[in-house]
Amino acid sequence: MDERTGRGAAGAGRRGRWTGRLARGAAALLAGGLVGAVAAAPAAAGPGALVTAAGEYPATVQIDTVQVGNGASPKIAHENDTVTITGKVTNSGAETLKSSTVKVRQPSAGKPMLTTRSDIDLMGSWSTPSTKDGIALDSPAQDFGDLAPGQSKDFTLPVPVSALNAKDTGSYELAVDLWGTTGGDRVPHPLGIARTYLPFQGHATARPSQVSVVWPLTHAPVLVAQTMPDQDQTPVLRDDSLAGELTGDGRLNQLVDIGKTMPNLTWAIDPDLLDTVFAMTKPYRVQKPGTSGESARDDNTVPGTGHDAAVAWLAKLKTAVAGQDSEVVSLPYADPDLASIAHHGTGLNGMDAALRKAMTAGQVTTELRLSVNAHSDVAWPYRGLLDQRTAVVSATAGGRLVLVNGASMPESDKLTYTPSAARPIGNGQTAVVSDAVLASLFQKDLPTVQDRTAVQQRFLAETLAIAHQEPEHPRGLLVLPSRSMTVGTAQALHDSMQAASGNGGWVTPATLQKVSEIPADPTANTSVPNEYPGEATGTELSADELVDTMGIQDGVEQLMMILTQPERVRGSFSAAMVRSMSASWRDQQKAGIDYRAGVQTYLKNLKAAVRVPKKSTVTLPGDNATLLISVKNDLTQAVGNLELRLYSTQPNRLNVGENQPVVLDATTSRTFRFPAEAQVNGQVQVTAELWTTGPNAQPYGDPVEFTVDVTSVASGVTYVIAGGTALMILAGVRFYLQRKKRKAAGEIDEDPDRPLSDGDSDGDSDGDDDGNGNGRGDDHGKDEGGGGRDKGKGGGRGDGDRPGADGKPADAEPPSDRDDTDRVAGDEKVDHQASHPRASVPPL
């Protein structure tokens, strides 16, 4: 049997039920139960949990406090002490409970003490009254008479320790039940029962166990990437909920107040919380609902209200961590979810670097804000659940010590004692393992006094049993509460440690570092499991969420390339990226989704603030013109290291100019000119795109595609037709002149369709058919030559008078005051590139 957990023994308790009338079942409060176990921890009832009253056990009994002498609860009993039990009984049934009396049970004389941890766990599994509970004492007792359905009564029962058969050091059952009758019954019988544990310190003592308590100060991230656009970069929070936690009865304020009274406490602090509180000590703003992805402005934020609370809390925390021999552990910045990263984010570009930076930044921040030395070599996976992949990622984050819930590394059933917490797990790491039962006690909220009493008494019973397993060989133990520990749970943990470490106690408070240095038990489990608990996977960050989160870094790096003041956004986005992976989102999944969406939307909006505006169709009136492309910068700082590129899908039809550098002042726009040369009329698709410059040039933002419609380019076919027509006209004129000369000379043209030649009309070789051939030949030559010259002049004048592209003579176009008509079906203008040297250009 496992003396550490009692596995395999719980079922035996259910066989010892009362018979006959005592077998009639009802609901009962298991005050001595265990907070709902985590992962693979042994199953046990939660403290204060009520089993539905029904059947023959209609009474609900609860134990509120256990006091010894005049001391406060909880307390350890000694010989000759009186234990006072307070609580309440309620008739949860449908019938009146008659002659009801509340009594205390005296533990069984055969085995009054819960000797082992298995016995303690076994008693925690009982629900209804049993003969194992011993016998009811006649005194003390408190009569209530008849209890109507739904009626409740408070009780106070002082009982001498001697009446409980407590003699030897150890823990004893402390049970209170209600006796009475229902219906026609005449013999009183148990109607409901509540149980808890009573630690008793007799003559036997043990060397105290060294117990380290991790005291978490964490909060879900509220500081966002946005800052106000003023010179001071006023910080912005997603809400102002943190202000309420820092003052009065607020959770974080109470945790500091309680923790500062505990000696040798190990404070586990999220540095992001310290940065946020520090930001609140100065003027800050809070986002209005629904504006998480917008740039911060006066109209979408409101002033924060937590200045005074932040100043006071930070000063109080500095004092608390400096006293009582405290130790400060700095968690990686923003407390990233190591298990989620291990299962869905390994191999992502930049992830390992981000974890290492989170560790370094965490230590620097903690030491700066609190003026203390802080350990940064501690990894705390969510709920302390560990598998091999999580251990590897923990090492990457600098986790030399890994805080582990014992449910992840259970001890062997053959081990008859509880081993020390520290043990090597390879890779240079030491697991500091919190016993599974002790870990489960402080994992949930303990809002009521009966909840706290149940956990406190169970803690005292468990630690007392551990100390006396090997009284000459003290162990080092770890108490690992929830990282979002509530005030009620913190108070229960404080009171438990105070009681167990008092005079004659069996516990000595110790720091985590001290416990981690205690030599490991050779029989302790050092095997890290391969599998992660299935019930914990549902709240993990998914692979897609981690990919999107790491994509923030890529976007920020590209934005940094173009900013002239990159420091205004670099740090805030780097921190926001790690906050997006915080383990705190496990318990606030909707808030985590909203936070990540806000960061990503804000980054997208910042990048889109530098852009080429959308275009549709641009008309290009001619073969040579200028395309005008605008670039806008809506950021509040200047940008550079950019160039604007223009691409034509058909460069053989439309050729555009060279890339142009882009430098823009804050909140300005500028138009860039690209000379364009068109070869033919028609539409051509063109793309305008921004690129970063430098050795790692890359596209910036979305490309803008638009259509260029080229008009009024003279076609080559037109020139051919015009040239052919001119030649035909010249030939016709020549034919007419030759015929006219021959007619004037008295020649008869027998064949009017014969071809004309420059030679003799009769084919004579000398060209002289009438004795004056040379003269005629010369005249003919002059006439033809003159015709040629005249035709040449006519052709020149025709070209000069040809209408231009705008329907006017080219030489009539005004040289300098031409109107550049906006022919853009979009938001850009096109400047026609006039050939005249004085042609005007629109201003930038």
Side-chain angles (χ1 to χ4, degrees), residues 747 760-762 764 766-777:
E747 295 182 4
D760 186 81
S761 60
D762 62 358
D764 224 359
D766 60 5
D768 184 7
D769 56 26
D770 55 2
N772 298 314
N774 290 335
R776 290 196 302 272

Side-chain angles (χ1 to χ4, degrees), residues 585-794:
W585 302 128
R586 289 282 197 126
D587 301 324
Q588 302 181 43
Q589 290 182 276
K590 176 61 167 58
I593 292 172
D594 292 343
Y595 186 89
R596 287 187 291 275
V599 175
Q600 292 160 8
T601 301
Y602 176 50
L603 177 59
K604 181 179 179 180
N605 290 341
L606 282 186
K607 291 185 62 181
V610 181
R611 67 194 184 280
V612 178
K614 296 290 185 182
K615 302 170 67 69
S616 54
T617 302
V618 175
T619 301
L620 191 68
D623 54 351
N624 291 288
T626 299
L627 289 174
L628 304 184
I629 308 297
S630 288
V631 179
K632 298 189 70 175
N633 174 23
D634 289 334
L635 297 176
T636 56
Q637 63 170 284
V639 297
N641 298 325
L642 281 170
E643 65 179 14
L644 180 60
R645 299 183 182 183
L646 218 58
Y647 307 97
S648 170
T649 58
Q650 296 176 291
N652 60 323
R653 297 181 60 189
L654 177 65
N655 189 26
V656 295
E658 299 294 327
N659 304 335
Q660 298 197 35
V662 175
V663 177
L664 292 175
D665 290 333
T667 62
T668 61
S669 63
R670 179 182 170 189
T671 301
F672 295 83
R673 291 172 169 75
F674 286 83
E677 181 180 350
Q679 304 299 325
V680 294
N681 294 328
Q683 294 186 340
V684 177
Q685 297 298 313
V686 175
T687 300
E689 189 172 26
L690 289 172
W691 277 67
T692 61
T693 59
N696 187 29
Q698 54 189 275
Y700 184 91
D702 296 329
V704 173
E705 297 180 353
F706 58 95
T707 301
V708 175
D709 190 4
V710 181
T711 62
S712 301
V713 174
S715 171
V717 175
T718 302
Y719 289 136
V720 171
I721 294 174
T725 302
L727 290 175
M728 291 177 66
I729 293 173
L730 286 173
V733 170
R734 182 169 179 270
F735 179 80
Y736 171 75
L737 291 176
Q738 286 179 340
R739 179 172 291 181
K740 183 177 180 181
K741 281 189 174 186
R742 289 190 179 95
K743 187 175 181 180
E747 295 182 4
I748 298 174
D749 196 355
E750 297 178 355
D751 185 6
D753 294 328
R754 67 181 173 85
L756 297 176
S757 68
D758 293 335
D760 186 81
S761 60
D762 62 358
D764 224 359
S765 62
D766 60 5
D768 184 7
D769 56 26
D770 55 2
N772 298 314
N774 290 335
R776 290 196 302 272
D778 291 340
D779 289 341
H780 179 68
K782 290 177 183 178
D783 289 341
E784 285 295 277
R789 286 193 296 271
D790 290 342
K791 188 62 181 176
K793 292 179 182 179

Side-chain angles (χ1 to χ4, degrees), residues 1-4 6-9 116 118-119 413-416:
M1 179 178 296
D2 183 0
E3 294 301 321
R4 192 184 66 86
R7 280 192 296 270
T116 65
S118 297
D119 293 337
D413 290 340
K414 298 179 181 179
L415 193 61
T416 59

Side-chain angles (χ1 to χ4, degrees), residues 287-307:
Q287 290 177 334
K288 291 182 178 179
T291 64
S292 63
E294 301 176 7
S295 295
R297 307 181 302 272
D298 287 340
D299 63 345
N300 63 9
T301 61
V302 296
T305 62
H307 171 270

